[in-house]
Amino acid sequence: MNTPGPAGGRGLRLIPFRGLRYVPEKVGSLAAVTSPPYDVVVRPDGLHHLESADPHNIVRLILPQADSAAARHRQAAATLHRWLAEGILAPDPEPVLYVYEQRAGDVLQRGVIGALALSPAAEGVVLPHEDVMADIVEDRAALMRTAAAHFEPLLLSYAGDGGPTGATAVIERVVERLPLLATTTEDGVAHRLWAVPDPAERAEIQTDLARRQALIADGHHRWATYLELQREHSGPGPWDFGLVLLVDTVRYPLQVRAIHRLLRRLPVAQALRALDGVCRVRVVEGPVRTALDALAGAAAEGNAFLLAGDGRFHLVDRPDEHLLARTVPAARPAAWRRLDAAVLHSALLEHVWRIPDAPDHIAYIHDPEAAVEQAERHEGTAVLMHPVSEDVVRDLARQGVTMPRKSTSFGPKPATGLVLRSVGSD
């Protein structure tokens, strides 16, 4: 964010907490018990791979397997309780803030993990930029409520000023010290975590952040879940805070990627027939990354998508202007109306293909190869998207305008399983 804080003067309030962490001697390796965020683990083979990596992999808490939702949530709570009793997980001795680093090749990201005071979007402290799906919020709320825990931090971005003091300055000092843990996950990302026990350094971080506002980069459904659970618990208490990772994107810019769609019940041939006379459609060369390059070129000139699932890649662009005028909500800002996701959902999904935005019809998949593979396997259609620029996301968020859900994927995302928060033990 370019402005130092919200208009009302109140900024981010980050407090220390007693993190729950794996005891290294009790597990095969720290890398083997971590996972990507719950919404990135979408393929059954990915879930099974994580479950088999170590019997204590965090996926057993964030994506428990049982016959019903209630049984899944009870199983996660029971697993957490058992792991605590067995010493697999243990609370740190005192409440602290944490510094977290991810490094992969030229990509370096550092931030601070803590418990952040919750606030509605209207207060302008934490700005969402995407809509959420009620069924996912309900499921995450039931999981957190039953387990009384926050299993994975949200990713929030803010803009520091590069000064000699403040949160980023503390981070740069802390990373010169011995970390609490260091591990490299199988994707080649090196992770390190430090505690910040010094009250003076914590105060320096907190004073700086109190002047800032943050953008939800990743975790809109979990943030909505935090707010829902806060409403359920009257009076001040631990549910007034949520587990987050805050990254100064002036110092450590985030990467923005697209989230792709899998249309489960729409074969590619049927999708293409419906687009006749509505959009320009061309076959482009594969494999996926080559086709995405063609998409990027077309997206520079206007709305564009890639359809796949029949063994080929179909570049769709130049949607009919009359269709857009008739279907894309005119009351929204011009920048919103030009979004690929807005055009896809308002014009193509709703009016051309007539597909409801429901889980049994549409899946949201981060990995383009996975989206194509699933479309081919299930005879559906993968719609591959081009990423939105961070400036557009930020400007819309400042206006209080949310983008269509699952419009962006910011990263690198924090690994799940390095530090958890037990609600009530801060």
Side-chain angles (χ1 to χ4, degrees), residues 218-239:
D218 186 70
H220 283 81
H221 288 89
R222 281 166 284 164
W223 182 258
T225 297
Y226 289 168
L227 294 174
E228 175 64 26
L229 293 173
Q230 181 189 37
R231 286 189 288 269
E232 292 179 6
H233 294 80
S234 59
W239 293 99

Side-chain angles (χ1 to χ4, degrees), residues 32 46 95 97 118 128 141 146 172 241 262 292 332 338 374 418:
L97 297 177
L118 306 179
T146 306
E172 299 301 322
F241 298 83
L262 170 65
L292 287 173
R332 295 297 187 107
R338 290 192 296 266
Q374 289 206 35
L418 296 182

Side-chain angles (χ1 to χ4, degrees), residues 5-11 122-125 213:
R10 177 189 169 195
E123 293 187 6
V125 178
Q213 65 182 172

Side-chain angles (χ1 to χ4, degrees), residues 111 349 397:
L349 289 174

